[in-house]
C-alpha cells in the first residue's frame, strides 16, 4: 500500500486545515450529522461496510462524513480502522434460509412459497427528479411494511428437487482469511468470493456486464435476490452451544445459469453466488455473474479468453483500495526518477540530431 510521503510540516498542516474547512462547507448551513448519513444515505453506508469488510453503520457513516462523500476514501478509512480491532473469535456461518426478508424476488418463478416481496426498490420508479424532496423532504409513509417474518425456502431448492441444478458446492475446510493473509494464486472459490464481496462495485459491475454481452458465453437468470436480517451466532465452548450475538442485514443473490453438460455431468443448470453486507443488490448480482464466469475450469468449460474468466486479472484488479494506492502514488514526488528520464530523452535527442547532421553532410 502506498501512503503519502512526508513533506513540509507546515504546508501539510495548512492542507489539513483547508480540508476541514472544505468538508464543513458553508457554516450558515446546518452541519450534516453522522446519524443523518446513516439513516438517509444508507445505500452509501452499505457499500462502505461491504467493501471495507466491517459491519458497523455508525462507523461507515462517520467515514463518509470524514471523506467528504468520497466512498473509496471512506472504505480506506474503515479498512484501516479494522486493522486495529482485536479478534476474539469467529461466528457460525449465517443461515440465509432463515432470513427475515424485506425484499425477495425471483426472475425464474412467478409463484413461489412465501411470495415475492418488492420491498424498497428503485426498480419501478420513474427516473425523474423529485423536486418535492428539495422543497420540504416530505415522504409518504408506506401503508404496510411487507416482510417475511417466517423463513422462506431458496428458489433453487425447487430445481434441486428434480436434479435440474447442480448441488451447491460444499467444502468443510476452513477458508483462508483475505483480511489477514495476502491474496495468492491459485485461489479457490471461497477466496474468490471473499475478494469479490470486497471488490469495487463499479469494476465488478463492468465485468458482470461483459459476461452478459458475450465475453464469457454465460447466460444467467436471477434465481433469487433476497435482502433482510439474519442472526449471527457464536459458539461458546464453556456453554457447549451457540448463542445469538446480534444480526446483520445482507443481500444474497443466486443466479441460475445454462450448462450443456460434460463427460461427467449431465445437462443441468449451474449456480453463481453473491453475498454482500446491507442492501447492495447491484453488487450482489454482479458478484454472482462474475463468480459463475470464474468457475469455467471446475465445470469443464472452454476458456474463451474473456476478462471475467481470468482469475488473476479479476482478483488483482478488483480491490479499489489497492488500485487507488497504486494509482495515486504517481502524484507524489518522483523528482529523481523524472530527472533521470529527462536527461535520457535529452541525450537521445542530441544523438539523433548528430546523426541527422552526419547524414546531411554525406
Amino acid at each position: 500500500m502506498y501512503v503519502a510521503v512526508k513533506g513540509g510540516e507546515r504546508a501539510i498542516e495548512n492542507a489539513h486545515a483547508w480540508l476541514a474547512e472544505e468538508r464543513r462547507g458553508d457554516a450558515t448551513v446546518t452541519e450534516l450529522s453522522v446519524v443523518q448519513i446513516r439513516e438517509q444515505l444508507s445505500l452509501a453506508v452499505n457499500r462502505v461496510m461491504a467493501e471495507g469488510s466491517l459491519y458497523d453503520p455508525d462507523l461507515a457513516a462517520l467515514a463518509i462524513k470524514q471523506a467528504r462523500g468520497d466512498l473509496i476514501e471512506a472504505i480506506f478509512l474503515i479498512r484501516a480502522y479494522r486493522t486495529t480491532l482485536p479478534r476474539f473469535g469467529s461466528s457460525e456461518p449465517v443461515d440465509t434460509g432463515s432470513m427475515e426478508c424485506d425484499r425477495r424476488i425471483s426472475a425464474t418463478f412467478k409463484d413461489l412459497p412465501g411470495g415475492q416481496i418488492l420491498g424498497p426498490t428503485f426498480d419501478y420508479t420513474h427516473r425523474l427528479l423529485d423536486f418535492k424532496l428539495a422543497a420540504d423532504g416530505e415522504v409518504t409513509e408506506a401503508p404496510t411494511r411487507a416482510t417475511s417474518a417466517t423463513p422462506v425456502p431458496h428458489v433453487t431448492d425447487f430445481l434441486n428437487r428434480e436434479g435440474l441444478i447442480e448441488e451447491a458446492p460444499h467444502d468443510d475446510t476452513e477458508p483462508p482469511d483475505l483480511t489477514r493473509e495476502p491474496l495468492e494464486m491459485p485461489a479457490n472459490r471461497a477466496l474468490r468470493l471473499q475478494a469479490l464481496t470486497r471488490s469495487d462495485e463499479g469494476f465488478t459491475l463492468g465485468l458482470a456486464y461483459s459476461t452478459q454481452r458475450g465475453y464469457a458465453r454465460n447466460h444467467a437468470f436471477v434465481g433469487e435476490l433476497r435482502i433482510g436480517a439474519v442472526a449471527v451466532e457464536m459458539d461458546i465452548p464453556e456453554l457447549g452451544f451457540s448463542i445469538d450475538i446480534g444480526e446483520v442485514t445482507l443481500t444474497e443473490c443466486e443466479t441460475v445459469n445454462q450448462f450443456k453438460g460434460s463427460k461427467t455431468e449431465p445437462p443441468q443448470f449451474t449456480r453463481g453466488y453473491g453475498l454482500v453486507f446491507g442492501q447492495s443488490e447491484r453488487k450482489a448480482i454482479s458478484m454472482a455473474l462474475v463468480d459463475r464466469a470464474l468457475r469455467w475450469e471446475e465445470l469443464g468449460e472452454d476458456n474463451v479468453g474473456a476478462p471475467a474468466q481470468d482469475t488473476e486479472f479479476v482478483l488483482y484488479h478488483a480491490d479499489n483500495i489497492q488500485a487507488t494506492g497504486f494509482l495515486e502514488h504517481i502524484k507524489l514526488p518522483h523528482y529523481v526518477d523524472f530527472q533521470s528520464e529527462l536527461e535520457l530523452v535529452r541525450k537521445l535527442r542530441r544523438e539523433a540530431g548528430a546523426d541527422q547532421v552526419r547524414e546531411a553532410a554525406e
Side-chain angles (χ1 to χ4, degrees):
M1 182 65 66
Y2 286 87
V3 294
V5 296
K6 287 189 176 180
E9 183 176 352
R10 186 173 180 181
I12 292 176
E13 289 177 353
N14 289 339
H16 288 168
W18 197 347
L19 172 63
E21 183 180 318
E22 288 294 311
R23 178 191 297 120
R24 177 59 181 88
D26 188 343
T28 63
V29 177
T30 304
E31 184 176 2
L32 187 64
S33 71
V34 170
V35 173
Q36 286 175 308
I37 296 172
R38 184 194 68 203
E39 296 299 319
Q40 300 176 42
L41 298 179
S42 57
L43 297 185
V45 169
N46 290 338
R47 178 179 175 182
V48 171
M49 293 193 301
E51 297 177 26
S53 297
L54 181 66
Y55 191 92
D56 191 316
D58 290 314
L59 290 180
L62 173 60
I64 291 172
K65 179 175 181 177
Q66 183 176 335
R68 298 173 60 197
D70 183 336
L71 297 189
I72 293 182
E73 178 68 18
I75 293 162
F76 197 161
L77 292 170
I78 288 297
R79 286 201 193 177
Y81 177 77
R82 189 184 191 280
T83 64
T84 69
L85 301 176
R87 176 170 297 187
F88 54 84
S90 300
S91 66
E92 298 292 321
V94 295
D95 179 11
T96 57
S98 62
M99 177 185 291
E100 293 185 9
C101 296
D102 293 323
R103 175 163 162 78
R104 181 201 186 216
I105 59 171
S106 171
T108 53
F109 293 97
K110 180 180 179 181
D111 300 313
L112 60 157
Q116 304 225 27
I117 304 172
L118 298 186
T121 177
F122 293 114
D123 287 353
Y124 311 102
T125 61
H126 299 293
R127 261 61 178 201
L128 300 173
L129 284 175
D130 185 353
F131 290 99
K132 290 182 181 179
L133 296 176
D136 51 28
E138 291 295 327
V139 178
T140 303
E141 278 193 29
T144 58
R145 181 175 174 83
T147 58
S148 173
T150 58
V152 289
H154 285 93
V155 170
T156 50
D157 291 346
F158 307 144
L159 293 171
N160 199 29
R161 291 171 190 168
E162 299 182 53
L164 296 176
I165 192 169
E166 64 168 334
E167 292 281 351
H170 186 71
D171 188 351
D172 288 328
T173 60
E174 184 173 348
D177 186 347
L178 188 57
T179 67
R180 296 191 165 217
E181 302 168 8
L183 177 64
E184 294 183 355
M185 297 294 166
N188 61 20
R189 192 179 185 215
L191 189 59
R192 297 199 304 262
L193 288 173
Q194 285 183 61
L196 288 174
T197 199
R198 286 161 48 97
S199 67
D200 180 79
E201 181 176 314
F203 180 84
T204 310
L205 171 63
L207 286 173
Y209 179 46
S210 75
T211 71
Q212 294 180 293
R213 296 191 65 245
Y215 289 89
R217 300 177 186 172
N218 188 17
H219 188 265
F221 298 93
V222 173
E224 182 175 10
L225 176 73
R226 58 169 63 192
I227 302 169
V230 296
V232 178
E233 297 182 351
M234 189 170 180
D235 181 60
I236 308 299
E238 293 81 1
L239 298 178
F241 55 86
S242 297
I243 63 171
D244 191 331
I245 60 173
E247 66 178 25
V248 296
T249 298
L250 299 174
T251 300
E252 181 183 46
C253 177
E254 284 191 287
T255 56
V256 177
N257 302 68
Q258 295 175 356
F259 181 58
K260 295 181 180 179
S262 64
K263 294 180 179 180
T264 58
E265 297 294 336
Q268 60 184 340
F269 292 108
T270 54
R271 305 168 186 257
Y273 187 73
L275 185 70
V276 190
F277 280 152
Q279 181 176 354
S280 307
E281 53 194 80
R282 186 190 301 119
K283 173 67 174 295
I285 297 171
S286 299
M287 178 181 171
L289 291 178
V290 176
D291 167 54
R292 176 57 181 82
L294 291 173
R295 299 183 61 209
W296 65 271
E297 188 171 13
E298 67 186 78
L299 294 172
E301 297 175 330
D302 293 331
N303 186 333
V304 297
Q309 290 180 304
D310 188 328
T311 303
E312 186 169 340
F313 174 82
V314 171
L315 301 190
Y316 276 129
H317 297 93
D319 192 307
N320 53 28
I321 303 305
Q322 294 288 346
T324 296
F326 204 91
L327 180 138
E328 293 197 355
H329 96 280
I330 64 175
K331 69 185 177 185
L332 301 177
H334 286 74
Y335 308 130
V336 175
D337 291 344
F338 179 72
Q339 289 301 316
S340 63
E341 296 253 351
L342 182 62
E343 185 55 37
L344 176 60
V345 171
R346 286 171 174 165
K347 179 181 177 182
L348 293 174
R349 287 173 62 87
R350 287 195 299 268
E351 292 175 352
D355 290 342
Q356 291 176 355
V357 170
R358 281 195 299 271
E359 290 176 2
E362 294 174 357

